[in-house]
Amino acid sequence: MGQAKRRGTLEQRIAQAHAKIEATRPEKLVCNGCGADVKQIHPVSTRGLTGIEAIWLGQCDCGQTTFAANGKPEAVQAFFDALSSDTELTLGRQRQDGSGHETV
Ligand SMILES: [Zn+2]
């Protein structure tokens, strides 16, 4: 009985954690590159990012990647600061994936 109860609690906790993340899911993102609506949005692990509750990654048809983050404002700001310092790398990789034929 005690075991069943504990399992129920764990399932509830997992469900709650999922619900908490899903609650922050943006309906859509606006592409940083072409301004189109991005509807392919995936959650990204926030492990190790203190103060960040959820990160969403939107993949636009044009190949641009757009991020959205929820959490403490300073933590979100720090995340985007880190992201922008790494943007060239990330975008370069995405562009290669997207077009495949680009030789720079
Ligand atoms: Zn785009």
Side-chain angles (χ1 to χ4, degrees):
M1 246 193 171
Q3 253 184 340
K5 195 176 176 186
R6 192 181 295 165
R7 194 165 60 208
T9 305
L10 180 64
E11 279 169 12
Q12 271 182 343
R13 243 192 260 161
I14 292 170
Q16 273 174 2
H18 276 282
K20 199 176 166 191
I21 291 171
E22 283 299 320
T24 69
R25 177 191 282 272
E27 244 175 75
K28 65 180 183 186
L29 295 174
V30 177
C31 177
N32 283 333
C34 69
D37 291 351
V38 182
K39 283 165 187 159
Q40 277 191 294
I41 304 168
H42 310 282
V44 178
S45 171
T46 57
R47 195 184 299 176
L49 296 169
T50 310
I52 303 270
E53 282 174 16
I55 297 172
W56 299 93
L57 185 156
Q59 185 67 63
C60 182
D61 291 339
C62 77
Q64 178 79 259
T65 306
T66 301
F67 287 93
N70 292 79
K72 288 181 185 170
E74 63 268 28
V76 171
Q77 188 57 51
F79 167 71
F80 279 109
D81 284 350
L83 199 66
S84 63
S85 67
D86 204 21
T87 293
E88 266 180 66
L89 253 178
T90 309
L91 295 185
R93 217 178 290 144
Q94 287 298 330
R95 204 171 291 142
Q96 272 184 342
D97 274 353
S99 65
H101 297 296
E102 208 172 68
T103 48
V104 182

